[in-house]
Amino acid sequence: MLKQIEGSQAMAEAIGLCRPEVICAYPITPQTHIVEGLGAMVKDGRLKGCEYLNVESEFAALSVAIGSSAAGARTYTATASQGLLFMLEAVYNASGLGLPIVMTLGNRAIGAPINIWNDHSDAMAARDAGWIMLFAESNQEAVDLHIQAFRLAEELSVPVMVCVDGFILTHAVERLDIPSQEQVDAFLPPFEPVQVLDPADPISIGAMVGPEAFTEVRYLAHHKQMTALDRIPELAADFAAAFGREAGGLLKSYRLDDAETVVLAMGSVMGTIKDVIDDMRADGARIGGVSLCSFRPFPIGPVREALQNAKRVVVVEKDLAVGLGGVVAANVRMAMRVFDVPVCTVIAGLGGRSIPKTSLRRTFEAAARNELEGLHFLDLNWDVVNRELERAGEKRRSGPVAENILKDLGLIMHKVM
Amino acid sequence: MNKPFAITLDVGSSLANLTGSWRTSKPVYVDRIPPCNMTCPAGEDIQGWLYHAESGDYRAAWEHLMRENPLPAIMGRACYHTCESACNRGQLDTAVSIHAVERFLGDLAIKEGWLITDKAPPTGKKVLVIGAGPSGLSASYHLARLGHAVTLCDAGPLPGGMMRFGIPKYRLPREVLDAEIGRIVALGVELKLNTKIDDIPKAMKDGGYDACFAAVGAHLAKRVDIPAPDAARILDAVSVLRHMETGEEPPMLGRRVIVYGGGNTAMDVARTAKRLGAEAMVVYRRTREQMPAHDFEVREAEEEGVVMHWLRTVKQVDEASFTVEKMTIGADGWPQPTGEFETIEADTLVLALGQEVDTTVLSKIDGVKVTRDGTIQVDQGMMTGYPGLFAGGDMVPSDRTVTVAVGHGKKAARNIDSWLKGASFAPTPRHGLATFERLNPWYYTDAPKTVQPTLDILRRRTSFEEIHSGLDETNALFEARRCLSCGNCFECDNCFGVCPDNAVIKLGPGKRFDFNYDFCKGCGICAAECPCGAIDMVPEEK
Amino acid sequence: MPNETVQPIKFYQTGTLTVGNRLLDPEKRTVQASGERTNAITSGHRACQGCGEALGARYALDAAMRATGNRVVAVNATGCLEVFTTPYPETAWQLPWLHSLFGNAAAVASGVAAAMRAKGRPEVRVIAQGGDGGTTDIGFGCLSGMFERNDDVLYICYDNEAYMNTGVQRSSATPPAARTATTPAVGDKPGNVFGTGKNLPLIAMAHGIPYVATASVADLRDLEAKVQKAMTIRGARYIHVFVPCPLGWGSASQDTIKLARLAIESGLFPVFEAEYGEVVRSRAIRRKVPVEDYLKPQRRFAHLFKAGKPDVDRIARLQAVADANIKRFNLLRPDGDA
Ligand SMILES: Cc1ncc(C[n+]2csc(CCOP(=O)(O)OP(=O)(O)O)c2C)c(N)n1
Ligand code: SF4
Ligand SMILES: [Mg+2]
């Protein structure tokens, strides 16, 4: 059913349709609207048979989820940013125990400096935690990915994180197609756990494993994700057949035919990139795009296949591995290591910095001319940076960097704190 | 379930890990001899019979008791219960009132008419027992149970020896005495009263006896020379007490009686005199603390109005007044005369200075030796120098109590039995003592002993009614349950409960426990927490 | 009840405090005395010799299993109990059991309880358990949250007064003066400092939850009664069990129960029950002992008893702690003998 609805509310409705049995969450912007929506649905009876817990921290939220999932309940939680870091120990634990929890990550920057706006730093911090990580390009896909996520998680007994860009998706009001309960029920069978805490058949979950078996345990987790490389496209196909629209899959390519410059990105920025590609194509540029949906497992084969004819690859990513560069680009380079093709990293949109089409176009054109450096910071204000570096060079106590920059930019006139 | 590898495990799999290999010392169950059993002169398995009494199975308790001692109702009254002084419970609150439970069992058996029926098949051997006192009765009983034909002769008109002629009625009612003796006779013992045997070897030969046990006691009163006019009335304690039983009339004691001596017999006579209406006094040359009489006897005598004169010796007896000399305790602990004199108004002196054995009959037998203190010498197996002639009780060197005598009778019987079979009797070796230190008394809650009701003091001064009554069933049960079961597992489940490794196997009621050494790590908690000290930790050999 | 547990009266002592007092009605006898007890932790676990925690956990969980007809799930924090029971490939647990992390047992248990409610199986009860570190320190946030929400979980803390699994470091349950690896017995204030630490049972009470109790491996009957009672109550419940650790305390393995007993009898460990934030009962001291009796057998307090110069000041301060408990919980009463 088509609805004019906020992204978060739409996701909440979709999650509700998946009939979760336990939901627990702790508030953090920009995830709040999703769990508020679900809370209201439980409270007013729209979502039946579901226990909703307001817990005291994200660590507790995921811990509750671990308990309820191990006890055989379909379990959902959501977080963002600092919250993900706060629960990180449990993030690893949930996957280590093979618990099919679905969690929405409303992608947001990580402080300090504290920042509530969107980027992918939080997701990147948990990239090796053993979760399947799917990035939604649009709110429609965010809705659809959650439905697929439960099925994927439960089939493989592995937790799935659905990453949605904070504010850009979570707070945007759009016209979205919310499926019916019958459609979701037909797609998503009831949860049948591979292991469950049941007095009728007691088992011990969470043993201590020493060197003699730890590698094997880890390999099996890896193997599970490799299996997901097959299952994700299959599920996406199933989904398309059932719901009549594309969503998910490992990646989606855009106007790749004869593309010499290929731009790869994850999440909502792909919308802007597609616009830029369209504009440049209109002007005759041979440019195309790849929207990566499955970041974990990382589809090395499909990425390589998609990029095999490119002369250059530009990875636009909303994160920074400080001291190295782009995380996604590093992964892409791994896929491309057999080809002699430059992979450039464009760090963009950190902490909610807008990503204007003009800036992107300028950057892609530079890339097409082979003038783009390996690591490029989109719209970096070099004046500010240089001034701060200068100050820092002069005296040891040059004051707080962020504040200095804001002062330089004329955004604050004096110390406010 | 298709469980995840390594992370998820099936229940009970730890049983594959045999932690017993960690052990450096291991627990073992032991039986230790409780101090009550250890000290009982009659060799009773006190803890053993209390075991049955605790569960209310009094018949079993009585039968268990009767294995060692045929006179529980008498013992429960007349025994000075050294067991209770030794009882570990005394270090906790008060000793278990063993005698009271014993008496309860004995009285119950009399009331119910319980009899001992299991007897060994007849051996064809004949044994002559001389003296129907506690020792002779006990020997007869055990010999009869062992299948021998027993003839029990006594020179007196009534059986019981000192139990009848030494212990006043108010401590041992005669119905009780008669009932327990009657039960022994009912076992097939031939009792011949008024039968004095002067020539034992001849009597044995004539009667075709294969062995003889002599236990005629010590009833020659010791005397001292005190200057006295012929008219002065001087009696001895044994005769007075005997007269109480045999005479038609009570003995003529006069109005004021002085009993000279500090033993239990002195108290018995003084209390008897009191009951007969006399003014009773005790003169003793040392202090109260040094009196050989049991404290409770002295206390009861005092309660009943017997007047005590400590540190006095009788110097001169006149018709109506006695001269006594004050004594003092010298540095060596012995009484010393002070040269100060007093006069006490009295008309009768009863000497209670102890008894001696009449050795005339035995000393003339070949090989029989008399010791320096006038008793008959016997070997380890209670046999005199004359083969087949055994002796016991007050005749042989030892403490002179009813219980010791009963013990002698049993010991002699078992040795006679072995001797008749041509073997020598080897008592089963005893376990180590269950000392208080081995117990973990925490687990026993406070339960002070039950006090036996005592007769009203006025009646005590004037009648020969038994002064202590027995326990009723509830009290006897409670009292039995105060036993700590020192040194013997009582299946309290502590070891089973406290083992952190579930390495104690419960074998079921009455079967106790076993250790599962596959898993026992040897921590020792079971031994430390065993209330009764029935677990030892022993080093593992490597 | 199965036949074997109804042991015919055979032999017992009046009023004994032993595991198997057959004077009691069969249904009042301890779970541990029963040959049919579930042995929630079975043999073959790798706890040290004489481990109080292994014992306390079996006592508690066997009682819970009995109380619920075995319908109970346990969630375990990281710590000795977890490590010694479940090293791959062997588990000692006989009931459904889950270990997630060190600091989240209470929350995980809340999750299990929520799942059971959602699944329509509220008869399956949930126990969370952990050491003192996992409870009073790292797991405190989750625990407080579980309390505050009044989730239907019984949390059991096995207090051995330090982080044992990692080699005996101080926790906020470590008593003053105790030597641990991080409060060594050196300097002029050897061991853990006075005036620190927290009293979790009292904090639990402050949440106003239906039931809070302290218990000890030295009083099995009391412990079982408390677990049983806790299982009759819905909502958040907390039981704090005192479990000596021979390794961490430097005590003899056979002294585990004895030390737990002395802790009670000296007043250092008050045993009590509270309902909705109010103390409703305490267990009176039976045979009062000075704190020295408890401290001396433990090497972690050895520095207080140096030959020739005992640390009388600090022993007196510990005695003052005991005396304060005695006063606060009214532990010296005529009904001292159970
Ligand atoms: C987050 C985290 N921090 C630290 C540890 C290390 N650690 C594991 S067990 C433990 C000590 C446990 O102490 P306690 O909870 O008192 O239980 P005990 O071992 O004493 O029974 C520690 C510090 C851990 N596993 N996880
Ligand atoms: S260190 Fe302490 S708590 Fe841990 S297993 Fe050993 S005795 Fe038990
Ligand atoms: Mg600890």
Side-chain angles (χ1 to χ4, degrees):
Chain A
M1 191 177 63
L2 285 173
K3 272 189 183 174
Q4 187 71 18
I5 189 172
E6 187 203 43
S8 290
Q9 294 302 329
M11 284 182 249
E13 290 198 15
I15 292 154
L17 292 171
C18 293
R19 301 185 188 278
E21 293 165 302
V22 175
I23 296 173
C24 49
Y26 186 82
I28 182 166
T29 307
Q31 144 271 33
T32 39
H33 291 186
I34 306 173
V35 292
E36 286 164 11
L38 284 162
M41 288 162 67
V42 172
K43 196 114 188 146
D44 68 16
R46 273 178 292 159
L47 180 47
K48 291 198 174 42
C50 178
E51 292 287 324
Y52 187 95
L53 278 80
N54 287 299
V55 294
E56 74 287 350
S57 74
E58 287 83 359
F59 180 64
L62 189 54
S63 298
V64 166
I66 287 168
S68 65
S69 184
R74 179 170 289 162
T75 303
Y76 170 81
T77 186
T79 192
S81 179
Q82 315 297 133
L84 182 71
L85 296 197
F86 201 76
M87 64 162 63
L88 194 58
E89 194 192 9
V91 172
Y92 273 79
N93 189 251
S95 63
L97 296 176
L99 299 174
I101 298 161
V102 170
M103 174 161 75
T104 308
L105 184 67
N107 295 110
R108 168 181 152 180
I110 288 172
I114 191 160
N115 176 302
I116 62 164
W117 307 105
N118 169 246
D119 73 23
H120 291 172
S121 310
D122 51 3
M124 292 305 131
R127 68 181 183 272
D128 298 324
W131 287 53
I132 286 176
M133 297 171 80
L134 306 176
F135 280 78
E137 198 181 313
S138 65
N139 265 329
Q140 186 63 58
E141 191 171 38
V143 164
D144 298 344
L145 277 182
H146 279 101
I147 298 166
Q148 295 185 27
F150 279 107
R151 185 157 151 200
L152 179 64
E154 289 168 11
E155 271 187 12
L156 296 178
S157 210
V158 66
V160 176
M161 199 185 296
V162 180
C163 300
V164 297
D165 284 313
F167 292 107
I168 301 166
L169 296 181
T170 56
H171 287 55
V173 178
E174 305 174 47
R175 208 169 62 126
L176 297 171
D177 191 354
I178 309 296
S180 69
Q181 186 66 64
E182 295 70 43
Q183 279 178 298
V184 175
D185 285 348
F187 181 78
L188 179 61
F191 175 29
E192 212 190 283
V194 298
Q195 56 175 348
V196 65
L197 296 167
D198 182 359
D201 184 10
I203 47 168
S204 297
I205 305 178
M208 184 179 73
V209 179
E212 72 279 23
F214 198 80
T215 308
E216 287 69 22
V217 170
R218 277 287 165 266
Y219 175 78
L220 290 166
H222 178 68
H223 177 82
K224 210 182 250 186
Q225 292 232 351
M226 293 304 102
T227 315
L229 285 177
D230 295 332
R231 276 313 278 154
I232 290 168
E234 286 163 14
L235 281 181
D238 277 7
F239 184 87
F243 293 81
R245 63 176 172 271
E246 305 279 335
L250 297 169
L251 51 78
K252 290 181 277 288
S253 38
Y254 187 71
R255 303 186 78 168
L256 277 189
D257 316 327
D258 76 1
E260 291 177 354
T261 304
V262 179
V263 182
L264 182 143
M266 302 193 301
S268 62
V269 72
M270 206 57 208
T272 319
I273 291 170
K274 281 179 184 168
D275 286 351
V276 175
I277 290 171
D278 290 346
D279 292 350
M280 288 173 69
R281 278 271 181 190
D283 294 342
R286 292 186 166 186
I287 187 165
V290 171
S291 172
L292 188 64
C293 177
S294 171
F295 176 60
R296 286 289 182 274
F298 192 83
I300 288 186
V303 166
R304 180 183 299 156
E305 205 177 305
L307 300 180
Q308 61 189 347
N309 298 321
K311 293 226 164 66
R312 64 199 67 82
V313 176
V314 178
V315 177
V316 177
E317 56 186 301
K318 295 181 170 182
D319 60 77
L320 172 64
V322 177
L324 172 69
V327 182
V328 184
N331 286 256
V332 171
R333 281 192 194 103
M334 191 155 159
M336 297 296 288
R337 67 195 184 280
V338 289
F339 306 120
D340 187 17
V341 170
V343 177
C344 298
T345 308
V346 175
I347 307 294
L350 294 187
R353 171 73 59 93
S354 67
I355 306 176
K357 283 188 350 182
T358 48
S359 307
L360 284 178
R361 179 166 183 153
R362 197 179 338 109
T363 309
F364 298 161
E365 283 171 352
R369 294 194 304 274
N370 293 328
E371 284 171 9
L372 188 64
E373 66 271 46
L375 176 61
H376 178 77
F377 289 82
L378 192 77
D379 294 342
L380 184 67
N381 188 335
W382 281 107
D383 284 352
V384 171
V385 170
N386 287 336
R387 234 173 302 155
E388 177 62 20
L389 291 176
E390 224 169 277
R391 247 194 313 259
E394 279 162 15
K395 58 177 180 352
R396 181 153 172 77
R397 294 204 172 169
S398 56
V401 178
E403 233 170 84
N404 289 341
I405 291 173
L406 290 176
K407 244 185 260 172
D408 286 344
L409 292 170
L411 291 175
I412 52 171
M413 303 314 294
H414 49 265
K415 281 200 170 180
V416 288
M417 282 185 276
Chain B
M1 265 190 264
N2 179 18
K3 292 178 273 282
F5 168 70
I7 300 158
T8 300
L9 304 172
D10 285 317
V11 294
S13 36
S14 68
L15 293 171
N17 183 31
L18 302 184
T19 50
S21 61
W22 302 13
R23 207 168 47 236
T24 55
S25 62
K26 70 173 178 186
V28 288
Y29 290 108
V30 293
D31 279 298
R32 288 247 163 182
I33 181 158
C36 50
N37 294 12
M38 189 72 142
T39 46
C40 177
E44 285 187 21
D45 179 14
I46 295 164
Q47 183 267 317
W49 57 256
L50 282 172
Y51 176 108
H52 296 294
E54 280 154 11
S55 55
D57 190 349
Y58 306 121
R59 178 77 195 240
W62 178 78
E63 276 172 10
H64 194 103
L65 199 169
M66 291 287 286
R67 295 216 297 248
E68 313 295 336
N69 188 334
L71 308 170
I74 297 169
M75 282 303 127
R77 292 169 165 89
C79 175
Y80 290 115
H81 41 75
T82 45
C83 51
E84 294 184 26
S85 320
C87 172
N88 279 331
R89 177 124 211 165
Q91 298 185 50
L92 210 56
D93 38 32
T94 44
V96 175
S97 197
I98 297 165
H99 75 278
V101 182
E102 183 173 33
R103 170 175 163 176
F104 168 80
L105 293 174
D107 288 354
L108 187 66
I110 293 170
K111 184 169 149 242
E112 300 289 329
W114 291 339
L115 290 176
I116 290 296
T117 45
D118 59 326
K119 259 172 74 172
T123 57
K125 303 280 185 194
K126 287 179 75 179
V127 184
L128 174 65
V129 177
I130 308 171
S135 207
L137 284 164
S138 165
S140 303
Y141 164 84
H142 286 290
L143 286 164
R145 284 193 79 175
L146 289 164
H148 305 300
V150 182
T151 306
L152 172 60
C153 301
D154 196 282
L158 291 164
M162 286 308 278
M163 297 188 291
R164 189 181 300 273
F165 301 118
I167 302 173
K169 282 190 177 98
Y170 60 84
R171 279 183 48 210
L172 176 58
R174 299 308 180 233
E175 316 82 74
V176 171
L177 183 61
D178 293 339
E180 295 210 312
I181 294 172
R183 200 167 49 215
I184 294 171
V185 172
L187 205 57
V189 171
E190 184 192 3
L191 178 64
K192 289 186 175 169
L193 297 169
N194 299 314
T195 307
K196 187 159 174 11
I197 291 171
D198 288 324
D199 185 342
I200 295 173
K202 180 171 181 298
M204 285 174 70
K205 199 159 163 251
D206 292 352
Y209 294 105
D210 301 289
C212 173
F213 177 60
V216 297
H219 25 238
L220 299 181
K222 283 189 191 161
R223 307 198 65 106
V224 279
D225 283 334
I226 300 171
D230 286 346
R233 207 174 3 218
I234 300 183
L235 306 170
D236 71 79
V238 184
S239 320
V240 171
L241 293 173
R242 172 178 283 266
H243 189 100
M244 290 293 296
E245 296 302 311
T246 52
E248 321 250 284
E249 297 287 311
M252 298 294 286
L253 289 179
R255 208 166 51 78
R256 290 174 173 165
V257 179
I258 285 189
V259 180
Y260 194 23
N264 290 320
T265 308
M267 298 305 131
D268 287 342
V269 175
R271 295 172 71 184
T272 298
K274 185 81 202 167
R275 280 169 171 76
L276 290 173
E279 193 181 309
M281 291 169 276
V282 168
V283 171
Y284 178 56
R285 64 195 174 108
R286 298 203 260 174
T287 62
R288 169 166 178 160
E289 290 67 44
Q290 290 164 317
M291 285 181 103
H294 287 97
D295 187 62
F296 77 89
E297 291 258 30
V298 183
R299 199 181 55 245
E300 286 177 4
E302 284 176 324
E303 282 166 9
E304 290 163 10
V306 173
V307 176
M308 304 288 169
H309 296 286
W310 322 117
L311 288 167
R312 301 285 185 277
T313 46
V314 180
K315 282 285 151 193
Q316 167 83 41
V317 177
D318 292 310
E319 259 168 59
S321 74
F322 293 15
T323 308
V324 296
E325 181 175 6
K326 286 192 184 176
M327 305 295 280
T328 182
I329 298 298
D332 58 357
W334 289 93
Q336 309 284 328
T338 58
E340 287 178 54
F341 297 91
E342 281 175 355
T343 309
I344 304 175
E345 309 269 298
D347 32 46
T348 308
L349 178 67
V350 181
L351 300 174
L353 302 168
Q355 289 108 265
E356 284 166 344
V357 181
D358 180 356
T359 56
T360 41
V361 172
L362 274 115
S363 58
K364 61 188 185 206
I365 301 170
D366 254 8
V368 174
K369 286 202 182 66
V370 178
T371 64
R372 272 203 357 228
D373 60 0
T375 53
I376 304 298
Q377 203 167 42
V378 288
D379 66 11
Q380 287 275 311
M382 318 245 11
M383 191 158 78
T384 64
Y386 182 81
L389 175 59
F390 295 74
D394 290 358
M395 294 184 78
V396 303
S398 76
D399 284 349
R400 288 177 180 172
T401 69
V402 177
T403 321
V404 168
V406 165
H408 282 177
K410 177 180 78 174
K411 188 173 173 193
R414 296 199 175 151
N415 279 287
I416 290 167
D417 181 60
S418 298
W419 188 80
L420 290 175
K421 289 176 183 149
S424 77
F425 175 67
T428 38
R430 287 187 151 190
H431 300 290
L433 184 65
T435 57
F436 186 74
E437 291 63 42
R438 287 182 57 92
L439 307 182
N440 189 335
W442 168 263
Y443 290 98
Y444 306 104
T445 44
D446 292 351
K449 78 166 173 184
T450 325
V451 178
Q452 282 172 265
T454 306
L455 196 65
D456 177 80
I457 189 70
L458 279 177
R459 310 254 307 273
R460 271 168 64 186
R461 283 178 184 157
T462 52
S463 85
F464 283 87
E465 256 178 80
E466 187 169 21
I467 76 162
H468 297 296
S469 19
L471 300 177
D472 63 18
E473 212 245 83
T474 329
N475 289 339
L477 188 66
F478 176 84
E479 201 51 41
R481 287 174 178 176
R482 293 181 65 242
C483 171
L484 308 179
S485 190
C486 307
N488 292 275
C489 171
F490 63 101
E491 296 183 27
C492 73
D493 290 328
N494 249 23
C495 51
F496 180 65
V498 300
C499 176
D501 295 287
N502 316 346
V504 176
I505 303 162
K506 184 165 169 158
L507 299 174
K511 302 194 189 111
R512 299 186 170 184
F513 305 87
D514 249 349
F515 289 109
N516 184 345
Y517 293 116
D518 279 351
F519 295 110
C520 166
K521 293 170 185 163
C523 69
I525 296 182
C526 54
E529 300 304 320
C530 175
C532 65
I535 302 175
D536 275 348
M537 293 300 293
V538 299
E540 282 286 352
E541 299 131 31
K542 262 280 160 234
Chain C
M1 209 180 302
N3 263 343
E4 212 267 313
T5 59
V6 189
Q7 190 152 338
I9 289 178
K10 189 67 189 164
F11 196 71
Y12 43 73
Q13 261 62 43
T14 286
T16 55
L17 303 173
T18 52
V19 168
N21 184 340
R22 288 178 285 282
L23 273 175
L24 297 171
D25 294 339
E27 63 275 13
K28 288 199 187 125
R29 293 179 194 163
T30 64
V31 176
Q32 288 305 312
S34 164
E36 309 284 315
R37 73 179 190 218
T38 42
N39 285 331
I41 305 178
T42 191
S43 306
H45 64 74
R46 289 157 198 257
C48 302
Q49 285 142 321
C51 174
E53 191 164 82
L55 193 56
R58 194 191 73 220
Y59 282 178
L61 290 183
D62 280 357
M65 289 175 85
R66 162 83 67 95
T68 58
N70 292 356
R71 286 185 292 264
V72 58
V73 173
V75 174
N76 214 126
T78 310
C80 274
L81 180 60
E82 166 261 328
V83 169
F84 71 63
T85 52
T86 54
Y88 163 81
E90 294 152 5
T91 175
W93 295 100
Q94 302 281 66
L95 75 176
W97 179 92
L98 170 64
H99 162 243
S100 172
L101 294 169
F102 188 20
N104 70 353
V108 173
S110 291
V112 176
M116 292 304 169
R117 265 194 316 277
K119 294 251 154 217
R121 300 187 66 187
E123 76 283 3
V124 178
R125 308 303 302 275
V126 186
I127 288 177
Q129 51 183 356
D132 49 298
T135 306
T136 68
D137 290 339
I138 197 167
F140 181 66
C142 286
L143 182 64
S144 178
M146 185 277 277
F147 285 164
E148 163 279 314
R149 292 185 302 272
N150 199 24
D151 286 338
D152 189 21
V153 172
L154 166 61
Y155 191 103
I156 304 176
C157 169
Y158 303 106
D159 182 5
N160 53 23
E161 301 190 325
Y163 293 114
M164 295 313 176
N165 187 51
T166 36
V168 198
Q169 294 86 11
R170 177 198 182 272
S171 81
S172 61
T174 300
R179 177 205 67 187
T180 69
T182 50
T183 55
V186 295
D188 54 358
K189 287 178 189 150
N192 193 25
V193 290
F194 280 81
T196 59
K198 60 173 108 152
N199 187 326
L200 208 76
L202 295 183
I203 298 172
M205 282 164 60
H207 289 78
I209 57 175
Y211 189 67
V212 172
T214 63
S216 166
V217 282
D219 194 338
L220 170 68
R221 244 177 265 173
D222 176 77
L223 189 159
E224 287 190 351
K226 284 170 175 170
V227 171
Q228 173 150 11
K229 177 165 176 190
M231 297 318 280
T232 64
I233 299 169
R234 289 281 172 180
R237 292 142 289 147
Y238 179 74
I239 300 182
H240 191 100
V241 186
F242 189 83
V243 290
C245 162
L247 182 95
W249 297 10
S251 54
S253 61
Q254 74 268 21
D255 282 350
T256 294
I257 291 181
K258 177 176 120 183
L259 286 173
R261 192 156 55 227
L262 291 170
I264 299 173
E265 297 299 291
S266 63
L268 282 173
F269 185 78
V271 177
F272 64 93
E273 267 180 310
E275 290 169 12
Y276 297 100
E278 297 296 332
V279 174
V280 292
R281 249 177 304 286
S282 67
R283 179 201 178 290
I285 287 171
R286 262 184 90 207
R287 315 239 189 275
K288 187 167 185 306
V289 294
V291 291
E292 283 96 324
D293 287 17
Y294 166 71
L295 302 170
K296 257 195 188 145
Q298 306 179 45
R299 279 201 307 282
R300 64 176 174 156
F301 293 113
H303 56 93
L304 296 176
F305 299 98
K306 279 213 192 97
K309 68 181 222 306
D311 190 341
V312 282
D313 273 9
R314 280 145 43 88
I315 294 171
R317 287 186 77 178
L318 285 163
Q319 184 63 55
V321 172
D323 293 344
N325 282 335
I326 289 171
K327 194 158 161 247
R328 176 175 207 164
F329 296 99
N330 187 24
L331 301 178
L332 272 182
R333 305 192 302 266
D335 65 329
D337 205 323

